Amino acid sequence: MNIILLGPPGAGKGTQSGRLVEQYGMRQLSTGDMLRAAVKAQTPVGIKAKAVMDRGELVSDEIVSELIDAELAAMDPATGAIFDGYPRTEMQAQMLDALLTKHGRSLDYVIELGVDEDALVERITGRFSCGNCGALYHDTANPPATPGVCDACGSTEFKRRPDDNEETVRTRMQEYRAKTAPILPGYESRGIVRRVDGMASIDEVAAAIDAILG
Ligand SMILES: Nc1ncnc2c1ncn2[C@@H]1O[C@H](COP(=O)(O)OP(=O)(O)O)[C@@H](O)[C@H]1O
């Protein structure tokens, strides 16, 4: 099973991917995570991408597609892929089709998480993660049970993404509307788009996705 999770920043793609990985042993291919790892490791790609990401703009189609290609090449063909944050442009959608063919895969579903923009800004500016295990939290929606201590691993180190400020979030939303939303009709004509209400609770969204995946 290979699926794309599509939706604006903050729609819950990362949260749902994490759950699908645990529940079904699928593999999350998040270009955002790959780019942040490259920035941290100060690779040539990371150095080039950092300023673009900090502005909330899109990194080049070639760079992200190469990252996806390398991950698919290293994966067991039997393991399902969740594309999270990729493709984000018409060109990336075409490149993904070519990559799937190259790696003997096909696309089962494009799951679109629908959300309200003002809620997204609140979600994103309030979110943070454990610096040790990556568990995701939110200031008001799901803070750690003991303030300052990670529920999952007990670490007391937390971090926020540098691009999770209101100004950058607005740019990321514009990029989504202008460049990413237009890839949906192509998938719609293939009959593989399924819509889920991303404003529902995490568990309700999870149940809706499970129903689609069967
Ligand atoms: N497929 C992609 N194409 C171009 N840029 C990307 C892509 N994936 C991630 N990026 C870059 O990384 C940033 C963070 O992406 P991501 O982690 O998916 O966050 P979000 O969906 O919350 O905006 C984006 O704003 C963009 O600069």
Side-chain angles (χ1 to χ4, degrees), residues 9 13 31-32 36 53 57 59 85 88 92 127 161 172:
K13 302 183 295 287
T31 42
R36 280 185 287 279
M53 294 171 75
E57 294 167 9
V59 172
R88 252 179 163 90
Q92 289 178 27
R127 75 183 178 182
R161 279 171 45 179
R172 282 154 59 200

Side-chain angles (χ1 to χ4, degrees), residues 174-194:
Q174 272 165 22
E175 291 281 71
Y176 181 80
R177 269 198 305 270
K179 297 177 182 157
T180 308
I183 70 179
L184 263 168
Y187 290 124
E188 259 155 21
S189 65
R190 284 153 65 173
I192 54 174
V193 175
R194 301 288 181 275

Side-chain angles (χ1 to χ4, degrees), residues 17-210:
S17 297
R19 190 194 56 91
L20 290 169
V21 166
E22 274 191 18
Q23 210 153 320
Y24 298 108
M26 295 175 81
R27 177 88 185 272
Q28 176 188 14
L29 301 182
S30 160
T31 42
D33 286 350
M34 293 172 204
L35 289 168
R36 280 185 287 279
V39 169
K40 195 169 172 197
Q42 297 195 312
T43 66
V45 162
I47 291 165
K48 211 168 151 188
K50 180 162 185 359
V52 179
M53 294 171 75
D54 284 349
R55 289 196 301 271
E57 294 167 9
L58 294 183
V59 172
S60 85
D61 294 330
E62 288 70 26
I63 286 182
V64 289
S65 296
E66 273 166 29
L67 292 171
I68 291 285
D69 189 15
E71 290 288 324
L72 288 175
M75 266 173 78
D76 178 340
T79 303
I82 308 160
F83 297 97
D84 163 8
Y86 179 93
R88 252 179 163 90
T89 63
E90 293 272 9
M91 178 56 80
Q92 289 178 27
Q94 285 176 28
M95 289 170 137
L96 176 59
D97 280 339
L99 288 175
L100 288 169
T101 304
K102 173 178 171 186
H103 296 287
R105 291 172 181 268
S106 63
L107 198 53
D108 296 279
Y109 296 109
V110 176
I111 300 180
E112 186 198 7
L113 295 170
V115 269
D116 165 282
E117 271 208 19
D118 289 327
L120 290 180
V121 175
E122 202 280 324
R123 269 193 195 178
I124 295 178
T125 52
R127 75 183 178 182
F128 60 98
S129 64
C130 173
N132 177 48
C133 74
L136 300 170
Y137 297 96
H138 187 280
D139 290 332
T140 52
N142 67 324
T146 307
V149 183
C150 176
D151 297 342
C153 75
S155 167
T156 54
E157 270 182 46
F158 292 93
K159 58 182 187 194
R160 274 182 209 272
R161 279 171 45 179
D163 59 345
D164 276 355
N165 58 75
E166 179 154 357
E167 194 191 340
T168 305
V169 169
R170 298 269 179 208
T171 306
R172 282 154 59 200
M173 306 249 170
Q174 272 165 22
E175 291 281 71
Y176 181 80
R177 269 198 305 270
K179 297 177 182 157
T180 308
I183 70 179
L184 263 168
Y187 290 124
E188 259 155 21
S189 65
R190 284 153 65 173
I192 54 174
V193 175
R194 301 288 181 275
R195 289 209 164 71
V196 169
D197 176 12
M199 298 305 294
S201 71
I202 290 176
D203 288 346
E204 284 166 333
V205 175
I209 292 176
D210 285 349

